[in-house]
Structures are given as structure tokens and as C-alpha cells.
């Protein structure tokens, strides 16, 4: 009985290690999000991600940001210390209906992604002019 | 469907796992004393250090900096990088999240003894500061031939 238990635990351990080596947990980039009357601005820190390695998708009302880190590393380098243990960033956000998902604009500079999500025209606050009588 | 109701995305189990990891790290897998200059995990900016027989490579993951404002110094084998990261956006904007680091930072690293302070090369690409320090000749592994 004891042997059988041993085998089963070892098996489950092995699967865990395999999963971990297949893809490490993606990094969750820190973000700043702020809103003004015309839309929402999102800033995300993605150091090491260039324009070509960044992917952004809007599926229904979910905005998904994903980026792969590309840094030049010499051959045969041995890691001495590592705060960053994954080469992929991923984070997603649920958008609300009043946001114009077709007009999202994004740019990346020095590893900072800036996303502008405008509000639909009808959702923007309107100033009502008072006509002279 | 409930996306707009879920304003708190953190999963309580994530915290649980993190605490467990920290616990393992500090008490389980770390029986020897830490360096007096070591920083806590999560200190800005995150750093990776790698070595080859010729160089020591330091990567600082610091997005959105002006490389001209960085103060990088190497004193003996103590590398220090200091700088300032300006805050984003306007002051009167309505913030929902402010997770990105803003303000002054300073990070020091004790490098291997054979770091050569005279041969340092620093580059800043895509928000990663790569500092390459040459190692002294004498410390490099040498091939010994048998006669």
C-alpha cells in the first residue's frame, strides 16, 4: 500500500514540474489607469517588449495585453540572480459598453505601453449651449 | 457579463500562494545570511544578473526612463543605479489604478570581486538597462595544457 501511494504522488509531482517548465506564470505588468471626460488612458510597464513582440486583442469586451521580452543575452550565460523569472507579460481588462472598442489607439516607447480607449460619442458629456432669447 | 462588477480582480488564493512562496524563500530555502546590501523582492527596478567567463551582465527592467538622467556608478564591485521616474498623467485626472512606480529610486548590487570598474558598458533599449562589466583577466578560467 505504501509503495502505491509513493508512486502516485511522484507522478503528480512530475506533471507539476512539466507544466511549470512548459510555460512559467506570465508576469502581471503594473498599470496606471485614469479617466477623463472623453475616455480612459491605460499605461503599462512592459520593459523589454518591442513593438513587434506586443500583441493586443479586444474580444467582445475583454482587452488582452500580451508581450514577450527580448533581451540580448550572451551565449552560455549563467544566472546569478533574477527578480524577473518569466519572459512573457499578460494582463486583461473587462471594458464597459460605453467605450468605443473599435477606436482604441496604442503606442509603446521605452517599454511603456500607452493605450487610449475613447468613449462613444453618445456617452461623452455634452455641454448644452443656452441660446439667447 | 459581470466584468464591471468585478472591480477587485485579485484572487485570494494568489495571495496565499505568494505568502507561501515568500515563506519558503526566506525560511526554507535561505538558511545562510543575506547580504547587508540586499533589497527586498519587489524593489524597483527589478534586476537580473548573469555571468559569463568574460563579463558580468546586469539587466534592470526600468521602463520609461530618460537614460540621460540615470546615475550609474561602480565603486570597487558595488554597482549603484539611481534615477527618478516622473509620475504619469495629469494631477486632476480620475485614477482607478496607480501601480506603476513613480519617484526616486536607488538600487545597489554587490558584483563578483573580479568586476573591472574601468570597463563598463551601459545601453538602454525598450525599457531595459543593460550594464555589461568586464571581468579581470586574472580571474578568468584558463586552459592548462599537459605537456
Amino acid at each position: 500500500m505504501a509503495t502505491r501511494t509513493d508512486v502516485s504522488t511522484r507522478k503528480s509531482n512530475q506533471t507539476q514540474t512539466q507544466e511549470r517548465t512548459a510555460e512559467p506564470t506570465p508576469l502581471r505588468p503594473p498599470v496606471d489607469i485614469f479617466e477623463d471626460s472623453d475616455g480612459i488612458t491605460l499605461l503599462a510597464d512592459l520593459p523589454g517588449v518591442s513593438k513587434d513582440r506586443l500583441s493586443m486583442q479586444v474580444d467582445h469586451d475583454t482587452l488582452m495585453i500580451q508581450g514577450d521580452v527580448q533581451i540580448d543575452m550572451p551565449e552560455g550565460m549563467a544566472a546569478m540572480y533574477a527578480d524577473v523569472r518569466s519572459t512573457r507579460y499578460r494582463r486583461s481588462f473587462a471594458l464597459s459598453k460605453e467605450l468605443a472598442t473599435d477606436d482604441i489607439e496604442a503606442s509603446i516607447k521605452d517599454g511603456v505601453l500607452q493605450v487610449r480607449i475613447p468613449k462613444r460619442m453618445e456617452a461623452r458629456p455634452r455641454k448644452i449651449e443656452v441660446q439667447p432669447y | 457579463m459581470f466584468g464591471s462588477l468585478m472591480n477587485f480582480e485579485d484572487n485570494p488564493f494568489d495571495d496565499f500562494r505568494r505568502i507561501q512562496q515568500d515563506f519558503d524563500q526566506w525560511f526554507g530555502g535561505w538558511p545562510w545570511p543575506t547580504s547587508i546590501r540586499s533589497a527586498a523582492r519587489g524593489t524597483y527596478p527589478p534586476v537580473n544578473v548573469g555571468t559569463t567567463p568574460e563579463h558580468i551582465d546586469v539587466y534592470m527592467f526600468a521602463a520609461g526612463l530618460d537614460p540621460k538622467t540615470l546615475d550609474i556608478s561602480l565603486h570597487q564591485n558595488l554597482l549603484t543605479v539611481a534615477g527618478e521616474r516622473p509620475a504619469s498623467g495629469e494631477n486632476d485626472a480620475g485614477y482607478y489604478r496607480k501601480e506603476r512606480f513613480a519617484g526616486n529610486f536607488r538600487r545597489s548590487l554587490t558584483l563578483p570581486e573580479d568586476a573591472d570598474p574601468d570597463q563598463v558598458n551601459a545601453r538602454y533599449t525598450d525599457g531595459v538597462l543593460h550594464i555589461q562589466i568586464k571581468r579581470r583577466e586574472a580571474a578568468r578560467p584558463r586552459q592548462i595544457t599537459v605537456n
Side-chain angles (χ1 to χ4, degrees):
Chain A
M1 279 304 276
T3 342
R4 200 183 281 174
T5 330
D6 267 320
V7 169
S8 63
T9 35
R10 204 183 301 151
K11 252 186 190 166
S12 68
N13 279 348
Q14 274 176 349
T15 0
Q16 272 184 354
T17 349
Q18 274 169 2
E19 275 167 18
R20 223 172 281 163
T21 42
E23 197 190 347
T25 323
L27 302 163
R28 190 165 162 274
V31 295
D32 283 356
I33 300 174
F34 48 92
E35 179 168 358
D36 55 51
S37 54
D38 294 338
I40 289 178
T41 305
L42 181 150
L43 296 168
D45 281 351
L46 305 163
V49 178
S50 59
K51 188 173 160 278
D52 326 320
R53 289 178 172 265
L54 174 74
S55 103
M56 279 182 60
Q57 283 174 31
V58 180
D59 182 18
H60 296 285
D61 54 359
T62 303
L63 170 71
M64 160 81 110
I65 298 166
Q66 188 170 295
D68 287 313
V69 178
Q70 170 80 14
I71 48 176
D72 54 325
M73 277 197 274
E75 286 274 313
M77 191 162 84
M80 211 173 101
Y81 176 84
D83 280 334
V84 182
R85 288 168 187 223
S86 176
T87 54
R88 175 164 287 178
Y89 298 96
R90 190 187 297 153
R91 198 160 173 181
S92 55
F93 299 92
L95 304 173
S96 52
K97 291 236 182 315
E98 81 275 13
L99 297 169
T101 48
D102 297 335
D103 302 326
I104 295 178
E105 283 175 10
S107 62
I108 190 161
K109 187 181 180 272
D110 290 336
V112 179
L113 170 72
Q114 175 157 3
V115 184
R116 176 72 185 166
I117 312 158
K119 289 181 192 172
R120 292 190 199 284
M121 284 314 270
E122 60 268 24
R124 292 185 191 180
R126 267 177 300 170
K127 200 172 176 181
I128 296 151
E129 294 287 330
V130 180
Q131 300 296 323
Y133 185 68
Chain B
M1 186 182 176
F2 299 111
S4 55
L5 289 174
M6 289 163 68
N7 285 331
F8 303 99
E9 63 175 323
D10 298 83
N11 180 341
F13 289 102
D14 285 346
D15 287 316
F16 199 79
R17 201 177 53 219
R18 205 189 58 231
I19 290 165
Q20 204 176 20
Q21 278 172 354
D22 286 357
F23 213 85
D24 285 346
Q25 197 181 348
W26 298 117
F27 298 101
W30 213 263
W32 52 86
T34 52
S35 160
I36 197 150
R37 293 192 178 96
S38 68
R41 216 158 260 283
T43 306
Y44 186 88
V47 172
N48 281 12
V49 184
T51 54
T52 60
E54 292 86 33
H55 299 109
I56 301 154
D57 291 271
V58 177
Y59 299 91
M60 287 205 171
F61 295 82
L65 293 180
D66 179 2
K68 287 183 204 102
T69 63
L70 286 174
D71 179 13
I72 307 167
S73 69
L74 183 61
H75 188 256
Q76 308 244 355
N77 61 334
L78 180 70
L79 175 75
T80 305
V81 177
E84 192 189 355
R85 195 151 101 124
S88 68
E90 302 99 62
N91 283 327
D92 53 346
Y95 274 95
Y96 296 115
R97 283 175 183 272
K98 219 171 181 175
E99 302 168 348
R100 296 169 65 242
F101 177 88
N104 291 307
F105 65 88
R106 171 180 292 271
R107 189 131 193 208
S108 296
L109 298 168
T110 311
L111 300 176
E113 299 273 327
D114 57 0
D116 189 346
D118 298 325
Q119 298 193 65
V120 187
N121 199 348
R123 264 181 305 156
Y124 187 70
T125 27
D126 293 330
V128 177
L129 177 68
H130 177 192
I131 306 169
Q132 191 170 60
I133 305 111
K134 253 204 164 136
R135 307 178 87 157
R136 287 202 190 86
E137 290 279 348
R140 286 188 205 166
R142 264 177 301 169
Q143 196 75 40
I144 296 154
T145 47
V146 181
N147 293 313

